[in-house]
Amino acid sequence: MFLDKNENLWVNGRDFISRYNYNDDSFTNYPIKNVWQIAQDSYGEFWLTKFEGTFHFNPETGEINPIKLAIDSSIVNSDKVWCN
């Protein structure tokens, strides 16, 4: 579960994620499977993590877009990967 900046509660399930809006006591459901975590950055953008990777999520359209990360072998140190 995740509470966003607008105080909407997000719940992730096996076959969906849902947004609960306290103001009008309603749910909006999105058929997005196997979401591990939902996050919102300081710009208000939403991010999802799934087995397949990290995705940008647009709640207005329901679209998710994969984020492709290029990993430079020079940043890999034994069992740790540093990203900044």
Side-chain angles (χ1 to χ4, degrees):
M1 288 196 287
F2 170 72
L3 189 65
D4 72 20
K5 293 179 181 187
N6 295 321
E7 298 190 0
N8 295 305
L9 181 66
W10 291 84
V11 180
N12 49 316
R14 183 176 180 186
D15 295 324
F16 64 90
I17 60 175
S18 294
R19 176 180 60 193
Y20 176 71
N21 185 316
Y22 289 106
N23 296 328
D24 60 10
D25 192 32
S26 67
F27 279 95
T28 303
N29 299 307
Y30 302 88
I32 302 170
K33 294 184 178 189
N34 302 318
V35 173
W36 292 347
Q37 187 172 16
I38 304 167
Q40 187 177 30
D41 66 21
S42 60
Y43 298 104
E45 299 292 322
F46 285 89
W47 304 93
L48 307 176
T49 56
K50 300 172 49 136
F51 177 77
E52 298 88 353
T54 301
F55 296 80
H56 179 259
F57 171 58
N58 182 334
E60 299 302 318
T61 64
E63 288 184 26
I64 62 171
N65 294 301
I67 302 303
K68 303 290 185 191
L69 299 176
I71 297 180
D72 180 348
S73 62
S74 66
I75 63 171
V76 177
N77 180 8
S78 67
D79 63 341
K80 296 180 177 76
V81 176
W82 299 95
C83 299
N84 76 31

